[in-house]
Amino acid sequence: MFGASTWVVLFVTSAQVAQAGINVWTSHGPEGAYVYALAIDRSTPTTLYVGTDFGVFKSTDGGATWGTANTGLPPVSEVDVLAIDPSDSATLYAGGGLGVFKSTDGGGTWSAANTGVPDDARVLALAIDPTEPSTLYAGSTRGGVLKSTDGGGTWGTMNTGLGLGPSVTNVYALAIDPSRSTTLYVGTDGGVFKSTDGGDTWSATGLNHIVGALAIDPSTYTTLYAGTDGGAYKSIDGGGTWNATGLPSYTVGPLA
């Protein structure tokens, strides 16, 4: 099963002195925290944010040093996903069991952005419309897909066609076609679903696995990859058909 624990990508216990290189990884902290999410400021790539089981940490020196960035977050906040506004890098969103929180000052302070988010929903995926950054999508447990058109001010459910019920209850991943932002993909308990109308309606793509990760080829937008409970799959026709990539049938989490 996919869930918050699936997204653990590193656990740091002490700083390392080795330098990164071929087959060599250097620990970059934050020390003692499980890291579930990473976001990089595209305008200043040495500015990094990570979502952890202790909230948000920020680095302005490429990960050499870290400081907490939790003002306004609940005292115990596991942050499972982060998203930076592509038009304003000081604006970012954090999701998790806390729902959605928003910062407009680079993580200096946070405020709840949960109006319309079900109380028991855990937000595991966030995606920002690249052409209209005030439009956001969230994938959640027990809430399905949520959409905001006012920068997280209010949210509404967008689950028509997802078949949410006993067999499809969780949305783990979201991806937006950069060339046509009304085309979306979600990874769920019941496979990959696609929308061509901004989330108003969804249709199954035929990949019948639990899907916890999605990635779109940045040069060919009809090519996408899905990380599942049965390995990684690839589609070259916008989700029309899928083929196994040859990886073992392990559970595949994040994809890049």
Side-chain angles (χ1 to χ4, degrees):
M1 290 296 294
F2 287 90
S5 61
T6 305
W7 307 109
V8 176
V9 293
L10 66 95
F11 179 62
V12 180
T13 57
S14 62
Q16 304 294 316
V17 295
Q19 295 301 306
I22 297 175
N23 296 326
V24 177
W25 289 81
T26 301
S27 170
H28 272 277
E31 294 183 19
Y34 283 103
V35 175
Y36 300 109
L38 168 67
I40 301 173
D41 183 337
R42 292 186 180 182
S43 63
T44 310
T46 53
T47 295
L48 317 173
Y49 302 88
V50 291
T52 78
D53 51 345
F54 295 109
V56 178
F57 285 77
K58 180 179 181 178
S59 173
T60 57
D61 54 13
T65 60
W66 295 88
T68 56
N70 290 330
T71 301
L73 293 178
V76 179
S77 300
E78 183 177 296
V79 174
D80 298 309
V81 61
L82 292 164
I84 299 176
D85 186 324
S87 66
D88 177 10
S89 61
T91 297
L92 58 155
Y93 301 86
L98 44 75
V100 181
F101 275 69
K102 180 178 182 178
S103 174
T104 58
D105 55 7
T109 57
W110 296 88
S111 58
N114 282 324
T115 301
V117 177
D119 291 339
D120 60 348
R122 184 180 195 89
V123 174
L124 298 176
L126 286 169
I128 301 174
D129 186 325
T131 62
E132 187 59 56
S134 61
T135 296
L136 317 171
Y137 299 88
S140 71
T141 62
R142 296 179 294 276
V145 177
L146 305 165
K147 181 178 181 179
S148 172
T149 58
D150 55 7
T154 56
W155 297 84
T157 56
M158 308 293 288
N159 294 329
T160 301
L162 284 182
L164 295 178
S167 62
V168 183
T169 58
N170 302 316
V171 175
Y172 300 114
L174 280 163
I176 299 177
D177 185 331
S179 66
R180 184 175 296 177
S181 61
T182 54
T183 296
L184 316 168
Y185 303 88
V186 293
T188 77
D189 281 346
V192 176
F193 287 75
K194 180 178 182 178
S195 173
T196 58
D197 54 13
D200 287 340
T201 58
W202 298 90
S203 58
T205 66
L207 183 59
N208 296 317
H209 281 275
I210 299 172
V211 178
L214 292 168
I216 294 177
D217 185 324
S219 61
T220 307
Y221 301 139
T222 54
T223 297
L224 59 152
Y225 301 85
T228 81
D229 61 340
Y233 285 77
K234 179 179 181 179
S235 173
I236 60 173
D237 55 5
T241 56
W242 295 89
N243 292 290
T245 61
L247 282 178
S249 295
Y250 300 135
T251 295
V252 176
L255 287 167

